[in-house]
Amino acid sequence: MKESMPRRALLATGGLALGGVTAVVELCFLVLGAPMLLTYDGRESLRTNAADLARLEQRRLARFLNEEPASDTTDSRSMLYLAARSTAGLLGIGIFALILYGAASAVILAGQYLSGKGPGGSRPADWYEHPVAVVLFGLLLFFLAVQGLAGVAALERRLARYFFAPTEAELQNRRIRELRMSRMLVVDALTNERRRIERDLHDGVQQRLVALGLLLGRARRATDPAHAADLLRQAHVESQLSLIDLRDVAWRVYPIALDEGGLHTALEALAERCGMPVQLNYDLTGEVTQAIERVAYFVASEAVTNTVKHAAATKVEIGVYRAGDRVHVRITDDGRGGAMTSGSGLYGLARRVGAVDGEFTVDSPAGGPTVVEAVLPCG
């Protein structure tokens, strides 16, 4: 839940005040610990303690200033960071001291005016001692103090990023790990697709073809023409159902409409083939790669299939739109909810979406509604 602006401002002010206190502690730590740099054991102990203090500062920034904590608070950078950060903290103390001084002066002046005594005593008041001038100067100083605190907060964030942001080599290593994971996710997704296709063929098409063969065999052996005709009628129905199942499996493997007409046409065909009312809201503009269109289609297809099988829903809504450089695919149903991302279908979708650096979320409270959303890069 997002915090209100006054609460964020209050938290930031409290965080800067706490940062001023910790700046004094850190400055004392650096000054008193300086002699420890003369010995090896002292240097190691000092660096370890400095890293602990730096991590505390990172938690303070995350809690009060909404700054993401650094991924790596190394000992070698911590002492330099503390030296620079303590300076920023002392600057914050100075600004707070000026604010307190100004507030105390305002209270004194207000008391003098309310008692009928001007700030000049018995002498005539100068122009800058006039109440209007005092209020205007007070507002100006308050504005400058607020801007000063905002500058200290920005300086704190910049120092944390400068000293603890990952290096180029670390970013490259992280990206390599992400690519390896994405490759594994692609392989797992393809393996699961093959297993699902095999299961659909075995449990659906194959069983119907077996039933078709049995009906034809019984029709050949039947001596009663009426009974043989009835068996042939059943065999014809079973052959039609086999074709429907085979067509469904083929669509789940890869819809040809996706290549011929694009994502919009494929989703329209999906809505027509669904066994319940489907509302399609398609507002996708701009160029999108075929790989992203395939992922978007399979997200919608799998989500709709799960809804038909398990959700006991009466309607489904598919929304596809673009926001910035991201494609959003959102499927909503009015079913009973309780969908688990650990299930094979949704878990496979999560891996498929993750393989293209997308984000996959499922919101399905008990009683519904269920919202499945994938956010995909455009290219």
Side-chain angles (χ1 to χ4, degrees):
M1 184 176 63
K2 292 185 177 180
E3 297 174 334
S4 63
M5 183 174 295
R7 177 174 171 78
R8 289 200 305 268
L10 186 61
L11 278 176
T13 303
L16 291 175
L18 180 60
V21 176
T22 57
V24 175
V25 175
E26 290 157 5
L27 186 60
C28 294
F29 166 77
L30 293 173
V31 172
L32 297 177
M36 298 176 64
L37 295 173
L38 300 177
T39 62
Y40 176 79
D41 293 338
R43 285 195 299 271
E44 293 301 315
S45 176
L46 192 64
R47 288 173 181 172
T48 301
N49 293 329
D52 293 336
L53 286 174
R55 279 187 283 271
L56 288 175
E57 289 296 338
Q58 293 294 304
R59 285 196 285 270
R60 179 181 64 85
L61 293 177
R63 175 65 182 87
F64 294 99
L65 299 182
N66 198 28
E67 176 70 14
E68 289 295 328
S71 58
D72 182 23
T73 308
T74 58
D75 298 347
S76 58
R77 305 179 195 173
S78 297
M79 293 189 64
L80 293 175
Y81 168 70
L82 292 180
R85 202 223 69 80
S86 61
T87 304
L90 293 176
L91 180 61
I93 289 179
I95 296 175
F96 277 113
L98 290 176
I99 292 175
L100 293 176
Y101 175 77
S105 300
V107 171
I108 294 173
L109 287 174
Q112 291 176 346
Y113 282 120
L114 290 176
S115 63
K117 299 178 181 179
S122 58
R123 67 175 176 81
D126 293 324
W127 67 270
Y128 54 83
E129 295 173 334
H130 193 275
V132 176
V134 170
V135 171
L136 292 177
F137 274 118
L139 291 176
L140 176 61
L141 293 176
F142 179 76
F143 173 77
L144 293 177
V146 171
Q147 292 300 312
L149 290 179
V152 171
L155 179 60
E156 292 243 28
R157 295 190 183 98
R158 181 164 295 185
L159 287 174
R161 294 171 187 171
Y162 176 79
F163 283 99
F164 299 121
T167 63
E168 190 68 25
E170 291 170 343
L171 290 175
Q172 289 181 358
N173 290 333
R174 184 183 302 174
R175 183 57 180 165
I176 290 173
R177 288 194 296 269
E178 291 175 353
L179 291 175
R180 288 176 178 173
M181 181 60 66
S182 297
R183 185 177 62 184
M184 293 174 60
L185 291 175
V186 170
V187 173
D188 289 342
L190 291 176
T191 301
N192 287 333
E193 288 294 330
R194 293 190 184 99
R195 289 173 179 168
R196 189 191 66 180
I197 293 169
E198 190 277 333
R199 184 174 61 250
D200 291 343
L201 290 173
H202 181 273
D203 297 340
V205 178
Q206 180 176 315
Q207 297 301 321
R208 291 198 179 279
L209 291 177
V210 170
L212 175 62
L214 293 174
L215 288 172
L216 291 175
R218 291 173 60 190
R220 289 182 59 188
R221 294 191 299 270
T223 57
D224 183 3
H227 182 54
D230 183 62
L231 290 174
L232 288 175
R233 182 188 60 79
Q234 295 180 39
H236 180 263
V237 172
E238 199 67 36
S239 67
Q240 296 299 315
L241 294 176
S242 298
L243 287 175
I244 293 174
D245 285 351
L246 186 60
R247 191 179 297 114
D248 289 340
V249 172
W251 264 87
R252 294 184 68 181
V253 172
Y254 191 84
I256 192 63
L258 196 59
D259 283 340
E260 295 179 347
L263 180 59
H264 192 190
T265 302
L267 291 177
E268 286 179 337
L270 174 66
E272 292 174 358
R273 293 171 49 250
C274 185
M276 66 176 63
V278 177
Q279 179 181 350
L280 176 61
N281 300 319
Y282 189 91
D283 189 21
L284 184 59
T285 59
E287 293 293 331
V288 179
T289 62
Q290 289 187 349
I292 297 302
E293 285 190 341
R294 285 195 292 269
V295 175
Y297 172 80
F298 281 110
V299 168
S301 177
E302 187 66 31
V304 170
T305 300
N306 288 340
T307 299
V308 173
K309 288 183 177 180
H310 309 296
T314 60
K315 62 180 180 179
V316 182
E317 181 178 347
I318 303 175
V320 182
Y321 61 94
R322 181 170 185 162
D325 61 347
R326 294 279 172 172
V327 175
H328 292 251
V329 183
R330 186 182 180 93
I331 301 92
T332 307
D333 67 66
D334 62 348
R336 59 192 172 196
M340 303 295 292
T341 55
S342 57
S344 59
L346 293 179
Y347 182 62
L349 282 183
R351 289 188 293 182
R352 182 187 286 272
V353 172
V356 294
D357 291 335
E359 300 174 3
F360 182 77
T361 57
V362 177
D363 183 15
S364 182
T370 296
V371 179
V372 177
E373 184 172 12
V375 182
L376 308 169
C378 290

